[in-house]
Amino acid sequence: MADGGTPALVCIIDDDADVRCAVESLLRSVDYKVMAFPSAEEFLACDEAASAACLMLDVYLDGADGLEVQQALHDRSIAVPVVLMTGQGDIPMTVRGMKAGAVNFLTKPFTEPDLLQAVAEAVELDSRRRAERGQDDTVRGLYAKLTPRERDVMALVTAGLMNKQVAAKLDLSEVTVKIHRGNLMRKMQAQSLADLVRMAEILDVRERTVTRYSTAG
């Protein structure tokens, strides 16, 4: 199930109608929402493609291959976990597909338990990724509310500088730095410096040209 109890969407791309129908029927029987496509072009033209929690992708399609489809997904910023489906003769291409980001592969003919396990793992991975993206968006929203000076202080504090070093770098009093630090900790909802450092890593705002032991410049 997707977040909020909504059935997760699983998409299938396979130019073999029998395979499409069999996989679609099995997935619907366990309450997934399923959309099946005979070609990558039809999948990519679908507005719901970006919301898929798993893509079952045949390695070899008429006029295309799995690597080309994966690249098209990347170009469109569609971060759906891909499970490749392959015949015995397509193992080299499958290996390249895994290196390109596929999360699993099934060798035809595959068993129903193997298919369901692969899909379940992909859906769980998608759920974790969406949760992480949601947390990242929250952090960015909090950061947007900081003043420019609070952002300066955050960049230096999370680099490991002490308050007096931050004060010297920004030409402020140490008391003023402490005030800014307290304010930004509250606004970022950080419970500790470690929390703030993790947020700075997400935002990529840590000052990397200085450390507590080298603050020149």
Side-chain angles (χ1 to χ4, degrees):
M1 303 295 280
D3 293 343
T6 303
L9 172 61
V10 180
C11 290
I12 305 162
I13 305 177
D14 198 310
D15 52 12
D16 186 322
D18 290 338
V19 172
R20 285 201 313 276
C21 291
V23 174
E24 180 175 3
S25 178
L26 174 61
L27 293 175
R28 288 189 186 280
S29 74
V30 291
D31 297 326
Y32 286 112
K33 180 180 179 181
V34 185
M35 298 182 70
F37 306 88
S39 69
E41 290 78 14
E42 291 188 34
F43 167 74
L44 294 170
C46 176
D47 291 338
E48 293 187 72
S51 65
C54 171
L55 173 61
M56 303 288 297
L57 174 62
D58 189 24
V59 166
Y60 182 78
L61 297 166
D62 187 19
D65 64 49
L67 295 180
E68 292 173 347
V69 177
Q70 285 178 278
Q71 184 60 50
L73 293 173
H74 176 76
D75 293 344
R76 291 165 172 77
S77 299
I78 300 176
V80 57
V82 175
V83 175
L84 296 173
M85 299 181 290
T86 175
Q88 290 285 357
D90 298 320
I91 295 299
M93 185 182 292
T94 301
V95 171
R96 298 201 307 274
M98 296 289 286
K99 290 181 178 179
V103 299
N104 209 333
F105 75 94
L106 298 171
T107 301
K108 297 176 181 179
F110 39 75
T111 66
E112 292 185 358
D114 285 346
L115 184 151
L116 293 176
Q117 180 178 347
V119 170
E121 291 174 353
V123 169
E124 174 60 26
L125 174 61
D126 180 73
S127 179
R128 292 199 304 269
R129 286 179 177 176
R130 290 178 189 271
E132 290 170 358
R133 287 198 294 271
Q135 293 170 358
D136 291 357
D137 289 344
T138 297
V139 170
R140 293 187 182 94
L142 296 173
Y143 184 74
K145 297 178 182 179
L146 298 184
T147 66
R149 184 56 79 192
E150 288 166 350
R151 294 181 185 184
D152 292 340
V153 172
M154 179 174 173
L156 294 171
V157 166
T158 55
L161 272 64
M162 296 180 292
N163 289 339
K164 64 181 181 181
Q165 293 173 309
V166 175
K169 288 288 291 183
L170 299 179
D171 195 23
L172 300 172
S173 70
E174 189 171 348
V175 171
T176 299
V177 169
K178 289 180 180 179
I179 293 172
H180 285 312
R181 181 169 179 167
N183 287 340
L184 74 91
M185 290 284 288
R186 173 178 53 79
K187 289 181 179 181
M188 295 299 296
Q189 300 177 12
Q191 301 301 311
S192 65
L193 177 58
D195 281 346
L196 197 66
V197 170
R198 284 192 291 272
M199 293 176 182
E201 289 290 350
I202 290 172
L203 297 162
D204 194 24
V205 296
R206 289 181 68 186
E207 175 56 64
R208 302 184 187 280
T209 63
V210 297
T211 69
R212 175 179 299 187
Y213 306 103
S214 175
T215 58

